[in-house]
Amino acid sequence: MDASQPHLTVVLPAYNEEASVGATIEAVLRFLRERGLSHEVVVVDDGSEDATASVVARVAGRHPAVRLVRHPANRGYGAALRTAFAAARGEWVACPGHRLPGAAA
């Protein structure tokens, strides 16, 4: 693996997530830093109609490991994932999911 290549890419599809995307990215970055992982976070704004892309761009301005990829129109979750996977540079790619009811925290 090239020294400039991140070990792990975390992909985050986003659609109209203005209220939560900044905190989500910050939490992911904190998790990765605490574990000492070489990383990047790729956020795909899937044609949001709110300020999701602006929030991500502000976070990316503070954190070079964050990249924003935009769809000009909403193409759906699957398309956003495919775009994120194609943009990923990490040796490993992770997509945080939703915790199942009753799953351990």
Side-chain angles (χ1 to χ4, degrees):
M1 178 170 83
D2 181 315
S4 65
Q5 180 184 12
H7 182 74
L8 177 65
T9 299
V10 175
V11 299
L12 299 173
Y15 177 71
N16 291 340
E17 298 291 340
E18 172 184 5
S20 62
V21 72
T24 298
I25 296 167
E26 294 288 351
V28 168
L29 289 170
R30 191 170 36 258
F31 176 89
L32 295 167
R33 280 193 306 267
E34 287 172 357
R35 284 146 184 83
L37 297 170
S38 167
H39 62 271
E40 68 174 349
V41 176
V42 175
V43 181
V44 176
D45 175 38
D46 191 26
S48 293
E49 298 169 350
D50 65 1
T52 295
S54 297
V55 172
V56 175
R58 279 196 301 275
V59 174
R62 294 190 310 272
H63 301 286
V66 176
R67 292 192 294 131
L68 170 64
V69 179
R70 297 183 74 183
H71 287 170
N74 183 264
R75 294 171 41 196
Y77 185 71
L81 282 176
R82 285 188 296 277
T83 297
F85 294 152
R89 297 184 298 216
E91 179 182 8
W92 293 90
V93 178
C95 180
H98 299 284
R99 198 170 267 137
L100 296 173

